[in-house]
Amino acid sequence: MGQLSESAFLELADETLETLDSAFEAAADQSGADIETTRKGGILEVEFADRSKIIINSQAPMREIWVAAKSGGFHFRWDGPEAPGGIDDGTWVDTRDGGELFAALSRLVGQQAGIPLQLA
């Protein structure tokens, strides 16, 4: 895993949060799940029918994306080129277990929403 420059990280994190926001909307539409998203800068909040939330935010000083969910907190670091052209050039990897961000969020959102969801 290379260390991204701050500008490369910010661009990549913004693209990732935008992609996640769209993926949550699509998953909610397909599944009928009551999921609302709110995006403010580097923070994406996902709220469920029971008012619980998952918070996804970019942490520029650490060059990580952090996820806070009912089941715990997770840190994801970029595993791809140091000068990526976009999120298709690599993946965000959990710093503890090596899991991928979208797969982890599919699992976490499914747990909190109470139905299986697949984020693409």
Side-chain angles (χ1 to χ4, degrees):
M1 287 186 238
Q3 178 67 21
L4 295 172
S5 69
E6 184 173 0
S7 62
F9 169 79
L10 292 172
E11 185 175 323
L12 191 59
D14 184 62
E15 182 182 350
T16 301
L17 292 175
E18 188 65 36
T19 299
L20 283 169
D21 196 8
S22 297
F24 283 121
E25 288 179 24
D29 288 345
Q30 289 177 353
S31 68
D34 187 4
I35 299 172
E36 296 287 329
T37 60
T38 305
R39 171 97 188 271
K40 294 178 185 169
I43 300 172
L44 177 63
E45 290 187 4
V46 184
E47 186 171 347
F48 303 93
D50 66 358
R51 310 304 273 173
S52 70
K53 294 182 180 183
I54 291 178
I55 310 294
I56 306 158
N57 67 317
S58 60
Q59 292 290 321
M62 302 299 291
R63 307 293 196 272
E64 293 178 349
I65 290 181
W66 290 2
V67 175
K70 274 184 171 181
S71 61
F74 307 88
H75 298 188
F76 294 85
R77 193 170 296 138
W78 180 249
D79 185 13
E82 292 182 33
I87 61 173
D88 292 333
D89 289 350
T91 190
W92 293 98
V93 176
D94 189 311
T95 58
R96 285 185 284 187
D97 69 10
E100 191 273 329
L101 175 64
F102 281 74
L105 283 169
S106 292
R107 180 178 40 81
L108 294 168
V109 169
Q111 289 170 351
Q112 272 185 245
I115 59 172
L117 287 176
Q118 182 64 43
L119 297 176

